[in-house]
Amino acid sequence: MRDDAAFVKELRDELSQVCWLAPEEIRARGEWRSRRVLLLTFAVVLVMVSGAGVVVVARHLLPSAPTTVTGPTLLAEPQSRLDDGPLAGDLTWPLAEPDSGEIPAQALLQPADLPTGVGEHLTELGLGETVEVNPMLEACRQERGLPSQAVSSQLSRSQTLLGTGPAPDLLLMQDVYRVAPQTATRFFTDLDVRMAPCASWRSVGDVEIDGRPYQAAATHRFTVSARDFAGDGSVLLRHTMTAPIDQSDGRQLGPSDRTDSVVVRVGDLVTVLRLGPESTEKELRRLAGVAAQRMCVASRPTC
């Protein structure tokens, strides 16, 4: 009993020295995290699962309402507050020490790397996150009853860059993951295996457009349009979707859509890049090369 009492006293003394965040600070962090999750759907707005199918309606989206987020996310904050100064309660995020395993902000693309001005800059740290290449690819595998074969990371760091103005456009989304070395070396081979069953996928399901429900169908295709143009390995993944068709009368409910994303590996780091809807493949490939150079500061082995 004396040992237990000593342990409780020690624990109480240590907890009394913790600087807890104020409620408003916690709410602010939750709002940033919600915006990050909503922006992940900038090219995939409505994903309604009904029975055995999924249908997507492509439309530009900016955040308008909070979203409940689950999972091992650690922090979501504006970049300037996360890396340039103290937060509430004197909590700071120091730069990663050499070989600490952390992914420093310098390993991500910087606002100056983009050709246009950046307004808001959101960033997020994660532990044990799944490497998300394309959410619709996983939806396809799930609908077809296939195992996810998703890759788990050890650590991750993500960012979202928005333009300026009262209704800023999405400029860039980037996730950088640190994975096990053996996983990194076979990552692209495994990705090809995951994509093969979804080369062409017809989805049928319920969607809501402008407040009205429809049952619609669309065909999705996943292809690799370029390889090995940056880092130790890279792919340009193209997701195309035909115009969704109303199943009741054959009417087209929305436009067709194409979304490009780039996956680049440098050592044990893997990054996934997505640009806004007005971007070009040329710009995406250019930023992939810059991202590979940036990751060199934290990759194992270093470049």
Side-chain angles (χ1 to χ4, degrees), residues 184-222:
T185 56
R186 67 171 190 266
F187 184 85
F188 293 108
T189 301
D190 292 348
L191 179 59
D192 287 337
V193 173
R194 290 166 61 192
M195 288 176 52
C198 295
S200 181
W201 168 48
R202 184 177 184 269
S203 62
V204 179
D206 295 332
V207 298
E208 183 177 309
I209 302 175
D210 297 330
R212 296 186 57 188
Y214 300 89
Q215 187 177 63
T219 299
H220 305 261
R221 292 184 174 85
F222 300 91

Side-chain angles (χ1 to χ4, degrees), residues 223-242:
T223 58
V224 172
S225 59
R227 292 182 186 270
D228 299 330
F229 50 86
D232 296 328
S234 55
V235 297
L236 194 152
L237 176 62
R238 179 159 294 165
H239 169 213
T240 57
M241 185 194 76
T242 61

Side-chain angles (χ1 to χ4, degrees), residues 131-196:
V131 179
E132 186 175 83
V133 175
N134 185 295
M136 292 309 299
L137 178 59
E138 293 305 316
C140 168
R141 293 188 61 86
Q142 181 179 0
E143 188 270 336
R144 292 188 166 177
L146 300 170
S148 108
Q149 295 183 336
V151 175
S152 294
S153 65
Q154 299 167 350
L155 296 167
S156 63
R157 192 175 190 119
S158 305
Q159 66 173 349
T160 301
L161 275 64
L162 305 178
T164 57
D169 292 327
L170 174 66
L171 301 179
L172 167 76
M173 299 185 70
Q174 181 184 18
D175 304 296
V176 178
Y177 305 92
R178 189 180 298 283
V179 299
Q182 62 272 21
T183 300
T185 56
R186 67 171 190 266
F187 184 85
F188 293 108
T189 301
D190 292 348
L191 179 59
D192 287 337
V193 173
R194 290 166 61 192
M195 288 176 52

Side-chain angles (χ1 to χ4, degrees), residues 237-283:
L237 176 62
R238 179 159 294 165
H239 169 213
T240 57
M241 185 194 76
T242 61
I245 302 300
D246 189 342
Q247 292 293 87
S248 64
D249 58 13
R251 182 165 53 95
Q252 181 174 318
L253 298 176
S256 59
D257 183 60
R258 189 191 92 184
T259 304
D260 289 341
S261 56
V262 160
V263 186
V264 181
R265 180 180 75 86
V266 177
D268 64 343
L269 297 180
V270 173
T271 188
V272 181
L273 298 177
R274 307 174 186 89
L275 299 183
E278 304 302 322
S279 63
T280 64
E281 179 181 335
K282 180 180 178 181
E283 178 63 12

